[in-house]
Amino acid sequence: MMYRPHPFSWVPAEGQRHATTDSKPRHGYHGVTVRTLCSQKVTADNSDIGWLWPTCSSCNTRAHELAGVPEAGDGAE
């Protein structure tokens, strides 16, 4: 079983970095269609440039909730 510290993984797709709770294939997500935390179905693009795309704000908010970690700048200390 692959180590996964949170119940989601980050996946670059369609010009943004999204998060998904779909199981991660052994070979990674490249070319795999996943359901994101922002409720989209996207096909992963695990290219070098894909990891430099901006993070989907909806996925980021949901990922922080699932991880139990407040988002930066939300006033929590």
Side-chain angles (χ1 to χ4, degrees), residues 60-61 63-77:
N60 192 46
T61 295
H64 277 83
E65 290 170 358
L66 289 173
V69 177
E71 287 186 71
D74 72 354
E77 296 190 27

Side-chain angles (χ1 to χ4, degrees), residues 31-47:
V32 175
T33 299
V34 297
R35 170 73 61 186
T36 64
L37 296 184
C38 65
S39 301
Q40 294 185 54
K41 276 186 147 176
V42 299
T43 301
D45 176 4
N46 198 23
S47 62

Side-chain angles (χ1 to χ4, degrees), residues 4-51:
R4 191 176 189 181
H6 299 292
F8 59 86
S9 295
W10 290 100
V11 180
E14 298 187 12
Q16 291 187 308
R17 289 180 295 132
H18 291 276
T20 184
T21 56
D22 289 1
S23 298
K24 188 172 186 175
R26 261 184 108 64
H27 67 280
Y29 288 110
H30 187 70
V32 175
T33 299
V34 297
R35 170 73 61 186
T36 64
L37 296 184
C38 65
S39 301
Q40 294 185 54
K41 276 186 147 176
V42 299
T43 301
D45 176 4
N46 198 23
S47 62
D48 290 341
I49 193 76
W51 291 105

